[in-house]
Amino acid sequence: MEARALLVVGDVVTDVVARHRAPLAAGTDTAAVIRTVPGGAGANVACWAAHQGAADVRLLGRVGVETAAWHQRELAAQGVRPCLVVDPRAPTGTVICLVDEGASAERTFLTDSGASLRLEPADWSDALLDGVARLHLSGYLLFAESSRALATVALEAARARGVPVSLDPASAGFLGQLGAGRFLELVEGVDVLLPSRDEACLLTGITDAADAAAALSLRVPLVVAKQGCDGALVARAGRVCARVPAVPARPRDTTGAGDAFTGAFLAALLAGADPEAAAAEGCRAGARAVERVGGRPPVPE
């Protein structure tokens, strides 16, 4: 049987999204609209890939007992096959998303990773790769020792089977703490890297986004650098080979926009698109994502 599935390994968290119009007032109240929604970079990518038509999307993640059933239901409703490890000791990760309702709808995260980064090699089975055409790793896995070990095992298993691997660095803040050199060592062997503009510049020490993407493509065969309202850059073999324009949008919440891009990009690759066409699909999904609250696509009716 031809391999056609996408396996995502990454974080599953609960997002508490607080949208405020006035500046945050220290020491007192700031009016906000607050919603609790399912999130996590890895989970969001899986949901957007399924939303974009990938027929078989699987997700390996780790959650706490208290919300395991809810996250299972939410993922299944999006068309994702959840493979969730229930952690008996740690609660599900929680992220407070502070969203400024100004023109850019920029967000700031307060992150408690909880169970999500307690994934460990014992949670992995090579059978997870049965029927899998692509493996995607959330970069958050690299920011804790146990999940970093799991990511290494998964990457090695995929390479042994000839399954291409993609990775999204996920967080410039955590990436800065880990260090660019250490990160690049850990992702050796990855086939596709999908950094944001800030992440690409941080990884290379180069301030120009295009030059940073080109430099990264000397280390990773394909680099697709997400540029937000400036679209995306596709780089190979030390040069930018495509500049993909953004799709106009009215942003409400930028949470998960990069995850939407990645999920749609991977779904397009699975469908046979070339990287430039896949990046265009990613830009379209990112535009839809910023017009919604939370990091997931709408649930199919």
Side-chain angles (χ1 to χ4, degrees), residues 187-199:
V187 301
E188 186 174 347
V190 164
D191 301 277
V192 184
L193 189 66
L194 295 122
S196 68
R197 180 188 353 239
D198 289 347
E199 291 157 1

Side-chain angles (χ1 to χ4, degrees), residues 139-161:
Y140 279 111
L141 296 171
L142 303 184
F143 304 135
E145 185 175 354
S146 63
S147 56
R148 186 160 56 237
L150 177 280
T152 298
V153 169
L155 175 58
E156 291 175 350
R159 288 183 60 78
R161 289 202 186 190

Side-chain angles (χ1 to χ4, degrees), residues 103-106 196-197 225-233 243-251 254 257-258 261 282-284 286-287 290:
S104 66
E106 191 54 77
S196 68
R197 180 188 353 239
K226 296 170 281 189
Q227 307 292 296
C229 62
D230 293 324
L233 303 169
R243 296 174 183 265
V244 180
V247 174
R250 291 178 175 270
T254 57
F261 180 104
C283 287
R284 281 189 277 273
V290 301

Side-chain angles (χ1 to χ4, degrees), residues 3-273:
R4 54 197 290 268
L6 169 66
L7 172 62
V8 179
V9 182
D11 47 318
V12 182
V13 306
T14 300
D15 283 346
V16 180
V17 183
R19 295 161 51 222
H20 59 94
R21 186 169 298 278
L24 293 176
T28 186
D29 297 316
T30 300
V33 177
I34 300 174
R35 289 180 55 193
T36 299
V37 295
N44 293 345
V45 167
C47 289
W48 279 99
H51 183 73
Q52 290 295 113
D56 185 354
V57 182
R58 310 166 189 178
L59 173 70
L60 174 63
R62 195 174 181 104
V63 294
V65 175
E66 78 290 353
T67 60
W70 178 58
H71 280 292
Q72 290 266 7
R73 289 194 303 270
E74 291 291 330
L75 289 163
Q78 293 276 5
V80 175
R81 294 170 57 185
C83 305
L84 300 185
V85 179
V86 179
D87 195 305
R89 296 187 300 277
T92 300
T94 301
V95 176
I96 308 297
C97 309
L98 304 176
V99 181
D100 184 340
E101 288 197 303
S104 66
E106 191 54 77
R107 77 283 188 273
T108 300
F109 295 150
L110 300 174
T111 302
D112 178 352
S113 297
S116 65
L117 298 191
R118 285 168 54 86
L119 274 169
E120 59 186 8
D123 298 328
W124 176 260
S125 166
D126 286 356
L128 289 165
L129 290 171
D130 291 348
V132 168
R134 287 189 169 273
L135 169 66
H136 178 73
L137 302 175
S138 169
Y140 279 111
L141 296 171
L142 303 184
F143 304 135
E145 185 175 354
S146 63
S147 56
R148 186 160 56 237
L150 177 280
T152 298
V153 169
L155 175 58
E156 291 175 350
R159 288 183 60 78
R161 289 202 186 190
V163 175
V165 181
S166 55
L167 186 141
D168 187 327
S171 169
F174 287 159
L175 179 56
Q177 295 173 28
L178 178 66
R182 178 68 173 137
F183 179 91
L184 291 170
E185 289 175 5
L186 291 166
V187 301
E188 186 174 347
V190 164
D191 301 277
V192 184
L193 189 66
L194 295 122
S196 68
R197 180 188 353 239
D198 289 347
E199 291 157 1
C201 292
L202 183 58
L203 285 169
T204 58
I206 298 171
T207 56
D208 180 82
D211 289 345
L216 281 174
S217 71
L218 293 172
R219 306 192 62 135
V220 178
L222 175 63
V223 173
V224 182
K226 296 170 281 189
Q227 307 292 296
C229 62
D230 293 324
L233 303 169
V234 180
R236 289 182 183 272
R239 70 180 187 89
V240 171
C241 51
R243 296 174 183 265
V244 180
V247 174
R250 291 178 175 270
R252 295 181 65 203
D253 175 8
T254 57
T255 304
D259 304 332
F261 180 104
T262 297
F265 175 84
L266 294 173
L269 287 186
L270 282 169

